[in-house]
Amino acid sequence: MEEPREQERGGPVRGERRGTATAGPPPPDLAGYRGAVDEVVRHLRDGTADPGRAAGPVLARAAVTPELRAVLDRVPGGADVALERITRQLSGFRPNPRSNATNPATLLRIALLQQIDVAWWGSVSPFADDEAVRRSSQLTALAPLRRQRRLAFRYRIGTTALPGRARNYAVRRWSPDREPRSSGLSYPLARPAMIGLLNEVAGRFTVAARPWRGTMWVNCIVRSTAVQQRLQQLGYSALLPSAHCTGHAADIEMAWLRRHGVAPALEDVLTAYRDDGVLNVIDEGQAWHVCLSPAHAGRYAAAAPAGRGTRGTA
């Protein structure tokens, strides 16, 4: 499998990116796209008592909406492939307490907004499995940076081992507001650009949330395609393709911050990044999903704290 390659200068890498390069047609109006998504989702929600049955006509409407086509035509395979994939996702929807999507309309919104991620990074080969993640020289280990106090955000590692599960249970039982109720990172690794971005976001949030003395918590960064598929089997709304699987996305905890009364501060910070074109941002309930724009990847990679790659060590 070819490893994902980092965009170092914010421009396209020859032979790797298709449909999202800066040359050619001007970039789409993402604010207009998001507004069109809201309108399409409203039709699914309001059109019938059974939104699942209305998915076909609603997606047919999406196919001829210029603001939506401007993004969907940049997805690998084009708009028809993207909408066919979303149709399958909607047809397979089943209510599940683990899913971020509580109904077909919510799933449609997440899936359509996720197409911005796919337009940006869908031509980059994903990490297929654990081995692909662990042997990648393009990911940086987070643990040494955390020990050196060079991370401005917090995280924990997902674990199925008994000691880790016992520790997490004890925290939830005796100090329920100390940490979020999330499973943790699939891998303690990240692209340098994502580390630089998350450090900056966390710093701005810390200032905006004062006098609260907590910090931002990241639930997920890198996932492999195999992990994403396992999450699907467990009932999570883990859609594919995903920018998590190329290392260019993160899920930032919000439910925990709401309990502390400081979520609006982070929401404002992330919305500003979205409006500036730095991030795609999706409200998924417990967490907000963020994806870094290729146009800004280079400068965040340069701003990241120096760390060694993980080949042979993770």
Side-chain angles (χ1 to χ4, degrees):
M1 183 195 76
E2 178 186 0
E3 291 181 359
R5 289 175 287 171
E6 187 72 75
Q7 262 190 314
E8 296 299 338
R9 302 295 180 188
V13 176
R14 184 178 298 275
E16 176 174 297
R17 302 196 40 79
R18 300 186 299 274
T20 56
T22 54
D29 172 14
L30 295 183
Y33 179 83
R34 294 184 182 100
V37 167
D38 289 342
E39 184 67 13
V40 167
V41 171
R42 184 182 68 79
H43 278 277
L44 179 59
R45 184 179 294 113
D46 298 343
T48 176
D50 182 1
R53 295 191 172 210
V58 168
L59 290 173
R61 177 190 183 95
V64 296
T65 301
E67 294 85 354
L68 295 180
R69 292 294 301 234
V71 170
L72 297 178
D73 282 340
R74 294 175 179 240
V75 170
D80 291 343
V81 168
L83 291 171
E84 181 181 353
R85 181 168 57 239
I86 293 172
T87 299
R88 291 197 304 270
Q89 291 163 346
L90 288 172
S91 66
F93 174 81
R94 300 292 183 273
N96 190 304
R98 290 173 167 168
S99 175
N100 294 324
T102 56
N103 54 55
T106 307
L107 179 61
L108 176 61
R109 181 178 181 277
I110 292 172
L112 284 173
L113 290 176
Q114 189 200 34
Q115 300 314 302
I116 297 174
D117 296 15
V118 180
W120 283 348
W121 298 110
S123 295
V124 177
S125 297
F127 298 111
D129 50 28
D130 291 352
E131 181 185 0
V133 172
R134 289 169 177 160
R135 68 181 174 83
S136 173
S137 61
Q138 299 181 24
L139 300 176
T140 295
L142 296 175
L145 297 176
R146 179 162 66 176
R147 288 194 298 268
Q148 298 162 13
R149 300 181 181 273
R150 302 173 76 187
L151 296 181
F153 57 92
R154 294 182 65 193
Y155 68 90
R156 70 163 164 261
I157 307 302
T159 179
T160 57
L162 183 57
R165 293 174 60 190
R167 180 262 179 202
N168 293 342
Y169 173 80
V171 169
R172 289 193 297 268
R173 177 69 175 84
W174 302 108
S175 186
D177 288 329
R178 178 182 170 185
E179 297 178 356
R181 297 163 192 161
S182 67
S183 57
L185 305 187
S186 300
Y187 308 98
L189 309 166
R191 285 187 178 271
M194 291 302 297
I195 297 172
L197 168 73
L198 293 170
N199 270 350
E200 183 179 279
V201 172
R204 293 188 180 184
F205 166 62
T206 297
V207 172
R210 288 175 180 165
W212 190 62
R213 301 183 66 181
T215 190
M216 188 175 82
W217 195 286
V218 178
N219 293 346
C220 173
I221 306 177
V222 177
R223 290 180 187 151
S224 67
T225 299
V227 166
Q228 198 81 342
Q229 290 169 337
R230 286 199 297 271
L231 291 174
Q232 289 178 349
Q233 293 167 1
L234 292 171
Y236 293 95
S237 52
L239 305 180
L240 283 168
S242 170
H244 284 294
C245 299
T246 65
H248 297 99
D251 292 341
I252 300 177
E253 174 69 22
M254 281 293 183
W256 178 63
L257 297 181
R258 292 187 193 107
R259 295 198 296 274
H260 287 282
V262 295
L266 183 54
E267 291 172 1
D268 288 346
V269 169
L270 293 177
T271 299
Y273 277 91
R274 181 200 68 188
D275 293 346
D276 287 343
V278 176
L279 293 177
N280 184 34
V281 177
I282 307 175
D283 177 356
E284 295 186 347
Q286 176 183 347
W288 278 26
H289 169 95
V290 301
C291 177
L292 177 60
S293 164
H296 297 272
R299 70 183 177 92
Y300 281 111
R308 300 181 63 183
T310 63
R311 186 179 294 278
T313 64

